[in-house]
Amino acid sequence: MEPAILIITLACGMLVSRVGLPPLIGYLVAGFVLFLFGIDESSLPLLEQLAELGVTLLLFAIGLKLDIRSLFKAEVWAGSSLHMMGSMLFFIPLLKLLGMIGLDQLTGLDFNQLALLAFALSFSSTIFAVKVLEDKGDMQSLYGRVAIGILIMQDIFAVAFLTISKGDIPSVWAFGLLLLPFAKPLIYKAFDRVGHGELLVLFGLVMALVLGGWLFEAVGLKPDLGALIIGILLAGHPKSSELAKSLFYFKELFLVAFFLTVGLNGLPSMSDIGLATILVLVIPLKIGLFLYLLTRFKLRSRTSLMTSFNLGNYSEFGLIVAAVATSKGWLPPQWMVILAVALSISFLLAAPLNAISSRLYQKYQGRLQQLEKHPLHPEDRQIPVGNPRFLILGMGRIGSGAYDELAAKFDGEILGIEHKQDLVDYHQGLGRHVVQGDASDTDFWEKLEHAPNLELVLLAMPHHIGNLFAAEQLRRLDYKGKLSAIVQYTEDGESLKESGVHSIYNLYEAAGAGFVDHVVNDLLPESHVARSNAEEIKNKG
């Protein structure tokens, strides 16, 4: 049956992807289909082990991307904590009421079991949110960063539950793990030397599964907690992002096994589907609570609404919590199936809702702005641009060089835009007029003040998609001045020209010309250069 398992899983994943939904819904459906063919979790012990690896690598990947400082922002740590408490205070009486009116799945559940279910239902999906943000190009937007921060806080709450649920008293040797930060220089040295190929992948697996999972389990702690902590330990390394990308497909493949095991728990009955539907119908209240809380932390109503829609679903971590609870006998096994169905339906609704979120904001902008608290959050106020003649989007090496050349050759104010605050501080320290903003973010263009005398915009961001997006936004805003952009590949220049860019600067072609000029000036004798010039003049004559 092994070939059939792979074929059914692939087919379900592809069918779901074709309608614009996360493939994980297809994997859940594949689990239900396999159960119909008489396959259950007990007949596939390897699948359960792969599922555990998927969860461990998921937490390791979260740790690799975690900026601890982002969690200390009030809208993140307080917003996530208050929302979780509010959700539980809502869900516990709701579930109790549903049990009292006769829903069999809830009849007879005690307070602790209801609290467990409320806890699982309070989470939002990390996988879904990241996919939506990546598809929109809004990972670095303020609302995207707030959403990811809240999700990470929720993940930390889940890991704390998983650790406590282990039930064993940790060994006295667990205190030795406090010495791990002192091993950081040694670990980083190994990280530097593994290169960029298969050794990097192997290094990541050893860090996640051995130093994280096995070592923590050996001292009586949850392996998932170890993976998260080791990921956080490596997050400050320059290659942490590369490592996360290298392990991405391992993590995704193992998580397929997790979603399959959920479906293999059994088929939902009509009453299970009905209860799951009721749970989905209360998601607007979950969204409303996020919206209210985030505006209390002085975020704009648009930022709050976009964040709330991004978090308006149920979570794979809720399934993980439920899986642990059912394995311990704390919840009936049917709740894995009910939560899986609720998760799937919530994605079905959340996908189109996120697609039209900007239009919904435009329609109800007046009412939503009444929720705002002033003065607005420092990161969510309008971006003051003054009255520049030149605008440079992206203040890396190329943007910085362009800024200095413009300053030397032309009169008029020059403004640089850079999304990294440390680079903004650096440029301001050198006397350059640079402000913080991300031109690849829809929020940036919503908050940008009008500049009536703008003559030239230079798109100097390192990624083609960002430059293309900025060009399209400038066209939408009816910008009449000149546009120039950098590209790495010739085909990128064509799409930029179609978006209204007037001149294209190919980095590789320009680098070749600059390299030859450097060689000629520094290494070839002056007489040889003069002779070459004379021959060139003669040939032209």
Side-chain angles (χ1 to χ4, degrees), residues 160-178:
F161 167 79
L162 296 176
T163 302
I164 295 169
S165 69
K166 199 170 186 300
D168 300 328
I169 298 175
S171 164
V172 68
W173 293 104
F175 289 103
L177 297 175
L178 297 174

Side-chain angles (χ1 to χ4, degrees), residues 384-414:
V385 297
N387 191 19
R389 183 181 174 192
F390 306 106
L391 179 65
I392 303 173
L393 302 178
M395 286 296 292
R397 293 181 181 178
I398 294 172
S400 302
Y403 187 106
D404 293 339
E405 286 295 312
L406 286 170
K409 295 181 179 180
F410 298 97
D411 293 326
E413 185 177 351
I414 307 166

Side-chain angles (χ1 to χ4, degrees), residues 166-434:
K166 199 170 186 300
D168 300 328
I169 298 175
S171 164
V172 68
W173 293 104
F175 289 103
L177 297 175
L178 297 174
L179 299 175
L180 275 176
F182 296 101
K184 187 174 177 178
L186 185 62
I187 296 172
Y188 272 37
K189 186 173 291 186
F191 204 170
D192 290 332
R193 295 183 178 180
V194 293
H196 305 277
E198 68 279 2
L199 275 177
L200 179 64
V201 176
L202 188 58
F203 173 80
L205 292 174
V206 168
M207 290 294 104
L209 305 179
V210 180
L211 192 60
W214 176 82
L215 181 60
F216 274 65
E217 188 173 33
V219 297
L221 295 173
K222 191 73 175 172
D224 304 329
L225 175 64
L228 178 67
I229 290 175
I230 296 301
I232 293 171
L233 193 69
L234 297 177
H237 194 279
K239 286 164 64 176
S240 61
S241 179
E242 182 184 353
L243 177 58
K245 292 176 182 176
S246 299
L247 292 175
F248 177 80
Y249 291 108
F250 283 92
K251 177 198 71 178
E252 295 295 294
L253 188 60
F254 292 153
L255 282 174
V256 171
F258 171 76
F259 293 114
L260 281 176
T261 59
V262 173
L264 290 173
N265 277 277
L267 290 173
S269 64
M270 290 305 298
S271 61
D272 290 339
I273 296 174
L275 177 54
T277 303
I278 292 173
L279 294 175
V280 171
L281 290 176
V282 301
I283 284 181
L285 296 175
K286 187 175 184 178
I287 294 173
L289 180 57
F290 270 124
L291 177 62
Y292 177 79
L293 288 172
L294 292 174
T295 51
R296 298 311 92 190
F297 289 107
K298 300 187 177 181
L299 292 174
R300 284 192 309 147
S301 55
R302 183 184 184 277
T303 304
S304 303
L305 186 71
M306 300 289 282
T307 305
S308 302
F309 280 163
N310 204 235
L311 300 172
N313 47 62
Y314 292 123
S315 170
E316 63 281 354
F317 264 107
L319 286 179
I320 294 169
V321 168
V324 172
T326 54
S327 69
K328 297 283 187 181
W330 298 339
L331 286 176
Q334 70 185 122
W335 272 101
M336 281 287 290
V337 178
I338 296 169
L339 291 177
V341 175
L343 171 75
S344 301
I345 299 174
S346 75
F347 285 0
L348 289 171
L349 297 177
L353 188 64
N354 276 273
I356 63 170
S357 55
S358 292
R359 277 180 282 168
L360 287 174
Y361 174 75
Q362 294 297 331
K363 184 175 181 179
Y364 299 105
Q365 182 176 358
R367 294 181 185 177
L368 290 169
Q369 286 181 339
Q370 294 176 11
L371 295 172
E372 293 179 350
K373 300 286 286 184
H374 292 271
L376 288 172
H377 191 288
E379 291 186 64
D380 213 12
R381 297 170 188 167
Q382 279 202 300
I383 299 173
V385 297
N387 191 19
R389 183 181 174 192
F390 306 106
L391 179 65
I392 303 173
L393 302 178
M395 286 296 292
R397 293 181 181 178
I398 294 172
S400 302
Y403 187 106
D404 293 339
E405 286 295 312
L406 286 170
K409 295 181 179 180
F410 298 97
D411 293 326
E413 185 177 351
I414 307 166
L415 175 66
I417 304 289
E418 172 57 46
H419 78 277
K420 296 180 180 177
Q421 187 59 52
D422 54 344
L423 271 181
V424 173
D425 296 338
Y426 169 76
H427 288 303
Q428 290 178 347
L430 294 177
R432 298 184 181 121
H433 184 200
V434 179

